[in-house]
Amino acid sequence: MAKKQAADTTALARWDEELAAAAQQAQALAQQQSSGGAQSISTRGGTMTVDGNPVPGNVLVGVIAGFTLCNKFYDADFDPDNPSSPVCYAYGQTKDEMGPHDEAETPQSERCAGCPKNEFGSADRGNGKACRNTYQLLVLPAGDYDYKADRFEAPAGPEDLEGAELHALSVPPTSLKAFAGYVSQLAGNLRPPWAVFTKIGVVPDPKVQQRLTFQLVKNADTTLLAALKARHEEAMKAIEVPFPKNSEREQKAPVKKSGKKRF
């Protein structure tokens, strides 16, 4: 037992410097958005679903494999029966460098900084922005979580992480500060989000109807860090995927049948 503990301590020491640097980088990124594709993890209506399936207890435990800043502008109100893509959107690791994605249908400006749609007071209602400033997360559901007992069992080994599917989650504007605060908490413990297991929940809020919560469950064991770092690198390469174009959505929409026979 003593030899195993010593080996674990040595392995963790080798990771300390890299984890601390990654934690500081994540903290700097998260703080940029705190003021102010269709997602496979949805919190619409205060109910958390994964690929359309309700999550028991509105709580999901997993690893935030990667995240980036994301600005999205829609030219129409939200219609639950006919969802649309943003006509202009941007990803970035710093606000100053953000500009419309190459695949954006109707870019509103050359850069997000200075864009009229990205100014407070530009929204149709209220004093907010017409452009939604969010974080785009890629989450790796991992381990076994029993929400009734609030008990979590981490993956047994790296092989349990290698084939798990990444799921996209957009953090709503009302939860930006909560997420940035959580990342700062992790940075204080010298851990980036991809090296810990996080409990993500949806709770009612009297002011904003609902908000997301982020809670540290436990640090990932050293035996999982190499696999988690690989998934993090994979997530950061995939996170800036273009949204489906609305013109393509219309073309692919099924034709409604009138019910009359055609001869």
Side-chain angles (χ1 to χ4, degrees):
M1 179 65 71
K3 289 183 178 180
K4 183 180 184 303
Q5 291 177 341
D8 289 345
T9 301
T10 301
L12 182 57
R14 288 197 296 265
W15 277 99
D16 278 347
E17 184 175 349
E18 183 171 349
L19 291 176
Q24 293 300 319
Q25 183 180 10
Q27 181 185 25
L29 172 58
Q31 288 177 337
Q32 294 185 68
Q33 205 74 296
S34 62
S35 58
Q39 59 199 54
S40 55
I41 299 179
S42 172
T43 58
R44 186 182 305 166
T47 300
M48 179 179 288
T49 61
V50 176
D51 296 330
N53 300 310
V55 177
N58 264 357
V59 177
L60 173 71
V61 175
V63 175
I64 301 173
F67 72 94
T68 189
L69 307 177
C70 181
N71 294 338
K72 297 182 287 187
F73 171 70
Y74 295 83
D75 63 354
D77 290 338
F78 173 71
D79 180 358
D81 297 324
N82 186 28
S84 62
S85 297
V87 296
C88 185
Y89 57 94
Y91 298 106
Q93 295 295 296
T94 63
K95 285 185 175 182
D96 293 339
E97 72 179 17
M98 294 178 71
H101 193 280
D102 291 341
E103 297 294 322
E105 284 186 286
T106 313
Q108 301 296 301
S109 178
E110 290 186 2
R111 304 183 66 81
C112 293
C115 176
K117 302 297 185 182
N118 198 32
E119 300 292 339
F120 285 103
S122 60
D124 292 336
R125 294 178 289 275
N127 296 318
K129 298 181 180 182
C131 184
R132 304 177 188 177
N133 300 155
T134 68
Y135 296 111
Q136 187 79 357
L137 278 55
L138 282 183
V139 180
L140 184 70
D144 185 15
Y145 177 64
D146 182 347
Y147 84 94
K148 291 184 178 180
D150 194 22
R151 183 173 59 247
F152 174 70
E153 184 177 344
E159 64 278 359
D160 295 326
L161 299 169
E162 294 170 356
E165 183 180 357
L166 292 167
H167 292 77
L169 170 65
S170 181
V171 177
T174 54
S175 299
L176 297 180
K177 289 185 178 180
F179 179 70
Y182 175 65
V183 176
S184 293
Q185 173 195 339
L186 296 181
N189 294 327
L190 306 181
R191 285 269 173 160
W194 58 261
V196 303
F197 294 100
T198 299
K199 182 191 296 183
I200 304 174
V202 185
V203 297
D205 187 285
K207 294 183 178 179
V208 296
Q209 295 186 335
Q210 66 185 44
R211 59 185 174 85
L212 296 184
T213 60
F214 303 89
Q215 181 181 344
L216 173 65
V217 177
K218 66 177 297 184
N219 291 339
D221 189 80
T222 53
T223 59
L224 302 176
L225 291 178
L228 287 173
K229 182 185 177 184
R231 296 311 306 267
H232 165 66
E233 294 172 348
E234 174 191 344
M236 295 310 294
K237 291 179 181 178
I239 201 167
E240 297 189 6
V241 62
F243 285 85
K245 293 184 178 180
N246 291 310
S247 57
E248 296 175 352
R249 286 177 180 271
E250 293 170 0
Q251 292 172 5
K252 295 179 180 180
V255 177
K256 294 183 179 180
K257 297 182 179 180
S258 64
K260 298 180 180 180
K261 292 184 179 180
R262 295 190 177 187
F263 299 95

